[in-house]
């Protein structure tokens, strides 16, 4: 996308499309549907009005043709005869910000509203958005981001080593606190609730969180190290704000939210209220991403949530247990560390969270591809299932990242580092 | 889905899946991921805990096999050899409500969270959910629904005839009010903002809505008829509540919200505060629905929003300008009118809103398929582009629905009904 346009007062959105319509017509239909349009031109729709408020087609880049439609239900141009040529293309549209004002919910309806269902398209995906800095007057963006998360965890010069409380559900508050104590003693920097652990009657938030944070407070007094605990506050708005306050009152430094489950306005409300970091969990993301032909890219998705105020977001991990390719994982993570607005505006960079089947083994590839130590590296089995115990699991991760930073192959570094050697044996590819 | 289970304290979710794994294994992986599971069994995961909290596989109904994977990125079982048989099936899982409590955001993370991305699946779609009535203790459901909307509009025995203000953006508050006055005088029952009309500087909400409602108040005083105006309050939570209050203070009876743009907790907060009907706009729905192999069905989708408190929801219309088939439109509309909970509990029925390229022409097919007059039938060009003007457009719609109700073919009824005859000529199929 043409980044020179970001200083204007227009919003840009780039799409991948697949259509049997002439590309100019297809792009004009998208622009019409998402601004002034209806299927008949109505009396009030003057040329001046169209010039000022209609979405503009900025660029069309034709890509290859496809043999068959990716999605069912699309149509052909009215006067079409002969064989169907179904083209793909990248289309960039733009809107004046005055159409909706700097409002994330209304922006979403504009760039990702009805147009996915338009008849001419057998595929349409939102790839990227570029917003004018006017949005920074209405939204706060991340409060802690990369630097603030490092400050709160006192971890510098290496990734923040994280883990997840498992089993996801079923443990009592005291059992959870005992597991957290064990993980803190093992040297973990960051511990999160599972997204399925919320406020069930067997493990109420109001009992679990003070119990866990008491354990971490005692650990901090004893050792001087305070791991960050991301307490899952996902719920109704009043619940989230109240739970946030309990986290703060109990000495916590982070809350976790399932972003798709709460929506943008709830996140904005939480951010305005927040005194601690907001850990964004993207569960449900598959609905937007699993089809190549509909939904939106993570590049576009995470910009909404960064502006709304998250400090961390999950990006999956290399060689993960899900369907996502490694290249997509790395593109997502890189984007989190890329400014959304040009200097001197706030860039809204956030911490990418790598997780899903991670262990010492993926550290070198992750570092090589990301080119940064600014990440949360979350391991479940990669810590808990280490043959010599969780503390050895954490040490194996430190060693793996030391090796990655120094450009030394893991197998080589493992010769002089016992915990790494065991990890490589235990977590064979 | 087995409706006899609805009186229990379990949550049921039915999925369509496509997988190269044995179906029992695939279903067990879904259940594990969405409850206690991780990729290694951890020490705290006792048999008792699994028995009590693990999701259960309730039913598996095998469907046909497919030749090639619907979605890319899926995997094969570890020890797989020989040719791949990729089966499809319907799988029903259940969870105890104590896993997450009666919380819609946490329910969404549970039934529509990480599982879409699981490696064994080349397709996975949420088809339906069945909730225990305990959710009615935490959520209010629709405040007005079908009967309340009829009461507020004084329309009985026929569909509520609606229309949309167009052009979507660009008109001033006074121009908008003048258009609404004209539509009211034409006899329309229901008028809505476009979802792209929010609070832009050229048509601020705080000027548009009082101007529109003044026009409707004057119309009501003059005629005794008060059309419902769905003012688009979509925005941040504080904005939505304040805008709602301005609607009430100005004499309005409805607010409109783009449901996907605001999320469940914001809707719940609005519902708790609301004194008027909530018109749900589903823009962005295509992201959930366009692929047959991921996302969720409208059947499942609308249950979340009904419980959160909407009174109306868009369902597209027959012969629409989008990609959706007529059978899908009708299934959606029927579901809106079907109770979500068994009597004596509240059923949470809501008004389906038919729109997109609608005119007199679709009335008989719509009535025949839906078997009810309980709908909002929204026409843009079908009213405004009627050759004899908007009032004749509205009359043509009344006549079409009279004919539908009486089982008289439109062409026959048109012989004695001038406006219907013109409509059928103007809006040829």
């Amino acid at each position: 996308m043409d980044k020179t346009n970001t200083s204007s007062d227009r919003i840009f959105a780039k799409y991948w499309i697949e259509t049997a319509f002439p590309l100019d017509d297809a792009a004009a239909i998208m622009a019409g549907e998402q601004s002034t349009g209806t299927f008949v031109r109505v009396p009030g729709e003057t040329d001046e009005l169209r010039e000022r408020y209609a979405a503009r087609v900025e660029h069309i880049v034709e890509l290859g043709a496809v043999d068959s439609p990716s999605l069912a239900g699309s149509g052909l141009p009215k006067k079409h005869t002969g064989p169907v040529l179904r083209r793909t293309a990248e289309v960039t549209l733009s809107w004046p910000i005055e159409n909706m004002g700097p409002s994330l919910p209304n922006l979403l309806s504009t760039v990702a509203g009805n147009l996915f269902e338009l008849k001419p398209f057998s595929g349409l995906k939102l790839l990227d958005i570029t917003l004018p800095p006017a949005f920074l007057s209405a939204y706060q963006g991340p409060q802690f981001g990369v630097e603030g998360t490092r400050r709160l965890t006192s971890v510098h010069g290496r990734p923040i080593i994280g883990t997840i409380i498992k089993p996801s559900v079923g443990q009592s508050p005291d059992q959870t606190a005992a597991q957290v104590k064990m993980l803190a003693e093992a040297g973990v920097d960051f511990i999160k609730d599972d997204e399925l652990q919320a406020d069930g009657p067997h493990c109420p938030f109001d009992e679990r969180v003070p119990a866990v944070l008491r354990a971490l407070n005692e650990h901090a007094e004893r050792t001087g190290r305070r791991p960050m605990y991301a307490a899952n506050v996902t719920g109704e708005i009043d619940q989230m704000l109240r739970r946030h306050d309990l986290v703060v009152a109990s000495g916590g430094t982070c809350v976790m939210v399932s972003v798709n489950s709460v929506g943008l306005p709830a996140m904005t409300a939480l951010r305005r209220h927040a005194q601690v970091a907001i850990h964004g969990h993207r569960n449900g993301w598959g609905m937007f991403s699993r089809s190549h032909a509909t939904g939106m890219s993570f590049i576009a998705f995470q910009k909404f949530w960064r502006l709304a105020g998250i400090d961390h977001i999950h990006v999956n991990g290399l060689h993960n247990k899900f369907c996502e390719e490694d290249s997509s994982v790395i593109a997502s993570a890189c984007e989190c560390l890329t400014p959304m607005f040009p200097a001197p505006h706030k860039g809204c960079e956030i911490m990418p969270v790598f997780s899903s089947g991670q262990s010492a083994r993926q550290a070198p590839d992750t570092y090589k591809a990301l080119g940064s130590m600014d990440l949360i590296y979350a391991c479940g089995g990669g810590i808990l299932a280490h043959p010599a115990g969780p503390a050895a699991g954490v040490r194996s991760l430190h060693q793996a990242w030391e090796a990655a930073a120094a450009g030394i192959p893991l197998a080589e570094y493992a010769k002089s580092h016992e915990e790494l050697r065991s990890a490589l044996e235990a977590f064979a590819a």
Side-chain angles (χ1 to χ4, degrees), chain A:
Chain A
M1 192 162 311
D2 182 358
K3 297 287 180 184
T4 61
N5 280 315
T6 54
S7 59
S8 82
D9 61 353
R10 293 186 78 79
I11 288 154
F12 295 81
K14 188 166 74 173
Y15 301 88
W16 174 89
I17 64 168
E18 179 185 296
T19 181
F21 280 56
L23 293 177
D24 287 346
D25 294 358
I29 289 167
M30 294 168 69
E33 175 67 24
Q34 293 309 122
S35 56
T36 57
T38 174
F39 77 109
V40 289
R41 187 147 171 171
V42 293
E45 195 172 346
T46 62
D47 287 344
E48 183 199 349
L49 184 151
R50 286 181 69 84
E51 169 63 27
R52 183 154 170 197
Y53 300 106
R56 279 186 209 149
V57 179
E58 297 279 349
H59 306 289
I60 301 176
V61 180
E62 186 165 350
L63 306 170
V66 292
D67 293 332
S68 60
S70 293
L71 301 173
S74 67
L76 300 177
K78 267 191 179 156
K79 293 172 183 169
H80 185 84
T81 55
V84 176
L85 178 62
R86 214 174 283 272
R87 293 180 184 87
T88 64
E90 278 186 10
V91 170
T92 303
L93 305 183
S94 77
W95 292 259
I97 191 173
E98 63 184 316
N99 277 32
M100 80 299 280
S103 163
L104 288 178
N106 290 300
L107 172 70
L108 189 61
S109 290
T110 303
V111 302
N114 279 342
L115 79 177
F116 297 102
E117 296 171 73
L118 287 171
K119 198 100 182 170
F121 300 91
S122 53
L124 190 153
K125 189 161 194 145
L126 176 62
L127 298 180
D128 199 0
I129 53 172
T130 305
L131 304 179
F135 274 87
L136 287 171
S137 65
Y139 293 93
Q140 296 173 289
Q143 183 172 190
F144 292 93
V146 174
E147 288 316 304
T149 299
R150 288 202 173 283
R151 194 172 66 245
L152 290 172
T153 53
S154 306
V155 174
H156 300 279
R158 62 169 176 79
I160 291 172
I161 303 300
T163 193
I164 301 134
I165 299 166
K166 294 274 180 182
S168 318
V169 289
Q171 296 191 110
S172 69
D174 285 346
Q175 287 172 318
T176 308
Q179 193 182 53
V180 166
K181 179 171 187 284
M182 176 272 287
L183 291 165
E185 287 170 355
V188 166
D189 306 313
F190 175 92
I191 302 162
K192 63 178 277 293
D193 278 339
D194 192 274
E195 77 277 13
L196 301 175
Q197 177 65 277
D199 187 37
H202 61 286
C203 194
F205 187 91
D206 292 355
E207 294 178 26
R208 179 174 81 253
V209 168
V212 165
L213 288 171
R214 260 195 310 277
L216 290 178
N217 290 339
E218 287 166 14
H219 182 83
E221 278 173 30
R222 208 165 52 245
T223 66
R225 285 187 65 257
R226 177 181 294 280
M228 177 177 270
Y229 165 55
N232 182 17
V233 299
T234 302
E236 302 306 329
I237 290 160
D238 53 341
Q239 291 172 332
M240 289 202 287
L241 299 185
R242 199 182 53 70
R243 289 173 188 163
H244 163 276
D245 292 349
L246 181 59
V247 168
V248 171
S250 306
T253 55
C254 188
V255 293
M256 178 174 118
V257 181
S258 292
V259 302
N260 296 312
S261 299
V262 307
L264 288 162
M267 184 62 80
T268 301
L270 177 62
R271 169 63 181 90
R272 286 181 187 163
H273 181 81
Q275 297 174 47
V276 297
I278 300 175
H279 184 82
H281 197 293
R282 69 176 189 180
N283 63 80
W285 166 242
M287 288 194 283
F288 301 89
S289 64
R290 279 293 282 124
S291 167
H292 76 282
T294 189
M296 65 171 82
S297 76
F298 190 75
I299 307 300
F301 177 81
Q302 49 96 43
K303 287 186 178 176
F304 285 93
W305 297 104
R306 282 165 67 177
L307 203 42
I310 58 171
D311 296 290
H312 317 148
I313 187 84
H314 282 239
V315 297
N316 218 331
L318 300 190
H319 323 318
N320 60 74
K321 69 178 174 183
F322 296 112
C323 295
E324 190 174 1
E325 288 182 8
D326 288 351
S327 59
S328 169
V329 173
I330 292 298
S332 298
C334 286
E335 190 68 23
C336 294
L337 298 173
T338 302
M340 267 184 72
F341 299 99
H345 300 289
K346 194 171 172 176
C348 298
E349 296 90 332
I350 59 170
M351 275 276 185
V353 182
F354 285 70
S355 70
S356 172
Q358 302 296 291
S359 72
R361 194 166 278 283
Q362 293 103 325
D365 287 352
T366 304
Y367 182 61
K368 195 173 165 189
L370 186 62
S372 173
M373 291 283 176
D374 288 335
L375 68 150
I376 297 176
Y377 193 70
C379 305
I383 290 173
L384 285 175
H386 190 284
V394 173
R395 279 195 298 276
S396 76
L397 295 165
H398 289 173
Q399 292 162 4
W401 281 94
E402 285 161 20
I408 301 168
L410 285 188
E412 180 67 26
Y413 204 66
K415 289 178 187 166
S416 54
H417 293 83
E418 173 63 27
E419 293 88 354
L420 179 58
R421 190 167 67 239
S422 307
L424 296 180
E425 283 165 15
F427 310 121

